[in-house]
Structures are given as structure tokens and as C-alpha cells.
Amino acid sequence: MRLITHNMIKLFLLGEFTNESPMGIEVEKMEVRKVGFNPYFLKKMFDWVNYNALVEASKIMGYAELPDVADPSMLESEEFLRKFHHALLELHLEEGSLVCPETGRKYPVNKGIPELRPYYDEV
Amino acid sequence: MASRPELQAPPEIFYNDEEARKYTSSSRIIEIQAQLTERALELLALPDDGIPRLLLDIGCGSGLSGETLTENGHHWIGLDISQSMLDVALEREAEGDLILADMGQGLGIRPGVLDGAISISAVQVCFFPSTSYHFILTQYLLPMTFHLDKQWLCNADKSCHEPRKRLKAFFESLYRCLARGARAVMQVYPENLAQRELILSYAMRAGFSGGVVVDYPHSTKKRKEYLVLTCGPPSLSTATPKGKAEDEESCSDDTGSEDEKNQTVCVSDRHRPRKKQKLNKKGKGREWVLKKKEQMRRKGNAVPPDSKYTARKRKARF
């Protein structure tokens, strides 16, 4: 699971919202896979991505190069875009779990696939 | 009919490792899935500027539809309920990220971040309680769909699966996570009018505008229905596109009839009504009568003088 997906996930289970804070990450195993670099896509995603959550997540994944604060003017620099690209699209969480910030419940991640099913007895 | 997948078990149980592998190793299914995905992408009408988009594949299964998305250069997030299908997707090295989740419980995606969503033969909705569940399935005989349905939004196998609630959760969360003006294209096989209307009504209630596009409506095999939903109020730009071959009177009947046409005699004149032929003939007219009278006078016959009554028609009741 890439961090772009982690960034997009927001639990919504049968009408009950969790708040805006992102899911926590527990890493057991991670991987880096190279993908093609496309600055246009990154610029577009920059508006949509929750940047603070991405910085947090990439630090947990062991990549601390991303600056803590970013503004749209930084998108002109190739260096920043490369870092953004690496954090967003190339860091893969292979084994571990996602932690709900409100309830503390853990959603396991196996082979890169997070299991986001609520248990039926809870619903 | 006994081998219909949905008759045996809900999707997360039916699509075990063996079934998932069977499904994905069939070249025919791969080809059909690729075609359906191409058409769905066409209907999504993404702006053609070469920038990759972030798309959601609802019911991605073994990532067959995702492969087409990757070929078109898009990033995608896949959602499926079957662990085995997702395992196959991993083996096939699907480029997108996969999430194991149930779409009937809502999509866990942040609002307004997706450029579009597609769903190929996955939103297969069964709206009725378990008593009529099997009846509807056995009524449902389209040969093409045989292996294609993967996920029943409303499997009535578990007590918490209440169809309407699930439909509502699904469409509302989908509406939320799409960007304004983005489209969602779902290829569906509704069994009857009531079902189609129910799906559409829940989509409209969630705020979508759009409708159903039917490709090849006259063909039983090639016929495909796509639900094209647009985020936001209806406008000209959100008008539902036309289906393929919708205008043709009948596709399959006309093809190959050219030879027959050459052999048969043109008989259209034969069927022309007699009366019409008579009506077309004009009466002789006043000039003709005057000319004849003149001829008779020259011959020396007794001819009545011309008057305003000459060559007039008698009244019907004469």
C-alpha cells in the first residue's frame, strides 16, 4: 500500500465518520518500488493530499527528507517534487497495521492489502 | 444453473483460491473485461491532457480492469471484498493499491479526492430479501454474465446486509469522495426495470445526475448497460452520452442480407392501392374539351355553344 492510498483512506462505516485525523501506521515490513515520475500528476495531487499526514506517515516509514511545511510555490523545484514523489508513490507498506485514531482499533495490512472491513458483530 | 456463482455462496466465500485463479486464467474473461474497461474509460470522459488521474476501481477483483487503467497511464485504487481475488491481483503485479473492503458499508475515502470511479460488473445489486433472492437469480439468464458478477452489493446471506441501507451507504460515500464534476461509470446487469430504477433512485438521492447508457440495445449478447453518474446538478456538459449502435433499427438482422436483396424482385409497386393510381390520373380538362368541340364544328357537326358550364363536372347527386 502506497502512502497516497493511506492518505486517501478515511474510515466511513455505515454512516459513522471518523474525524479528519489520519490513520496511524504500525510498520513491520516496508518496501520501496520505483515508479515513473510525472510532475503534472504530483502538482495536481498536492492540492488534495493532506500534507501533514503525509509527512507524519513518511517519517514513520523511515523517510524523513520531506520538509515539515510546504506551500504551492515549492512545487516549482524539481528537488521537492522528487521527494514528494518518493514519499507519495514509492514507499509501500507491506506488513503492519493501520490504527484508527479514535477507537484505537487496528486494521491489519497483509501483503500490502489493508483490511478495512468492520466486524459484523460490531455493526 | 446450479453453477451460477451467486447461487452457491456470497462472493467472499465463493471466490476462493481455486475459483479466483480459474476466473483470471480464462482468456475470454480477460478480453471481455478489457473491452468493458476501455468503454467505461471512454464514458468517464476524462480531459485528454495526458495527466494521470487518480481513479477508484470498485470491485477490482484480480485487477483485470486495473491493468487497462494502468495501460492508459492512470493511478488507481482497487477495492474488493474477496481476499483470494486480491491475492491473484498481487500475483499479477497489479500496479494500483488494493484495499479489502465491502462497498456496501461505504467507501473509506476522503472527500473530493478522486477524478473518477469505475466498476466493471461488480455493482450487481440484489434488492430483495432472501425469500425472493434465489428466484431472481434463476430468472437471470444472460449468458455473457455467467462468470462476471463478482460482488453482490446486497447479498442477503448475512442479517446485517440490508440492501437499501447498503445502497444508500455506497452511493453517499461515492458521491462524497468524487471531485465535483467527476464521473462514476458502472457496468451493471439489472435484472428488471424495478431494479434499475431502484439503483438509479438511490444514486439520484445521493446527489448524482446521469442515467443509463445502453450499448447494442438490440443484441442479446452484446448488450451492455452502463450507469453513468456525474457529481453535481444536471447540465449540458453532464448529459448522458449515447450508447453504441443505439440508432440502428436492428444490428444483427441487417448484416449479411445484401445477397438476398439482389435476388428478390422489387415488388413495391404491386402493393400500391388501386384507388391511388386512379387519383393520380388527371381528368381531361377544359382545354381538351374545347379543342374537341372545335374539331367537331369544323367537320360540320352540331355542337352546343361554349359557356361557363362547359367541361364542368356534374354534382354527385345528379
Side-chain angles (χ1 to χ4, degrees), chain B residues 138-316:
Chain B
T138 47
Q139 294 292 306
Y140 175 37
L141 282 164
L142 284 177
M144 286 275 288
T145 69
F146 208 90
H147 296 283
L148 287 182
D149 346 55
K150 277 177 276 177
Q151 185 165 13
W152 292 82
L153 194 58
C154 313
N155 1 40
D157 303 63
K158 288 174 189 147
S159 56
C160 63
H161 283 177
E162 195 188 310
R164 283 160 197 268
K165 214 170 162 187
R166 288 164 62 76
L167 266 179
K168 190 164 171 278
F170 170 61
F171 279 118
E172 280 181 354
S173 62
L174 181 64
Y175 186 80
R176 237 179 256 127
C177 68
L178 286 176
R180 292 308 92 172
R183 277 185 177 180
V185 177
M186 289 164 221
Q187 195 256 320
V188 290
Y189 298 103
E191 278 115 58
N192 51 39
L193 217 70
Q195 241 187 44
R196 186 183 301 129
E197 269 173 21
L198 201 70
I199 305 179
L200 267 177
S201 79
Y202 272 94
M204 299 299 151
R205 245 181 266 180
F208 284 108
S209 56
V212 181
V213 174
V214 185
D215 280 359
Y216 308 108
H218 305 287
S219 162
T220 42
K221 276 192 179 173
K222 276 174 94 180
R223 183 193 164 94
K224 293 279 175 298
E225 283 188 27
Y226 297 86
L227 216 61
V228 181
L229 304 171
T230 312
C231 247
S235 70
L236 267 183
S237 60
T238 66
T240 321
K242 270 204 152 190
K244 276 184 186 169
E246 209 172 45
D247 300 328
E248 289 170 34
E249 284 290 305
S250 60
C251 326
S252 48
D253 295 355
D254 277 359
T255 51
S257 62
E258 231 175 48
D259 286 359
E260 286 171 32
K261 257 184 206 165
N262 291 343
Q263 287 166 9
T264 47
V265 185
C266 183
V267 289
S268 66
D269 238 16
R270 204 188 281 169
H271 300 295
R272 209 171 60 178
R274 286 279 158 89
K275 272 188 184 167
K276 213 172 177 184
Q277 290 174 0
K278 265 185 191 168
L279 280 175
N280 287 345
K281 240 186 225 170
K282 275 188 179 169
K284 297 250 156 97
R286 190 175 154 90
E287 282 105 74
W288 183 83
V289 173
L290 291 177
K291 202 178 91 189
K292 281 286 173 191
K293 280 173 101 172
E294 194 54 45
Q295 279 178 358
M296 291 300 142
R297 275 192 207 111
R298 265 188 260 128
K299 280 186 182 173
N301 293 349
V303 179
D306 299 336
S307 74
K308 64 175 181 178
Y309 302 106
T310 305
R312 272 203 193 172
K313 230 183 162 172
R314 283 191 180 120
K315 280 185 178 164

Side-chain angles (χ1 to χ4, degrees), chain A residues 1-2 5 7-10 12 14 17 38 40-41 44-45 48 50 111 113-118 120, chain B residues 51-52 54 75-76 86-87 90 97-100 102 105-106 108-110 113 115 158 160 173 176:
Chain A
M1 187 185 67
R2 295 169 297 182
T5 308
N7 212 290
M8 295 304 155
I9 289 175
K10 171 179 179 181
F12 168 77
L14 289 178
F17 262 104
N38 186 324
Y40 300 105
F41 179 70
K44 193 167 68 70
M45 289 315 295
W48 288 354
N50 180 347
K111 289 180 269 179
I113 303 176
E115 191 174 329
L116 294 181
R117 278 187 299 187
Y120 289 114
Chain B
I51 300 177
L54 184 64
H75 292 270
W76 55 279
L86 291 179
D87 284 344
L90 280 183
D97 278 342
L98 308 165
I99 300 178
L100 183 68
D102 179 4
Q105 285 163 337
I109 307 284
R110 269 178 43 212
V113 292
D115 292 306
K158 288 174 189 147
C160 63
S173 62
R176 237 179 256 127

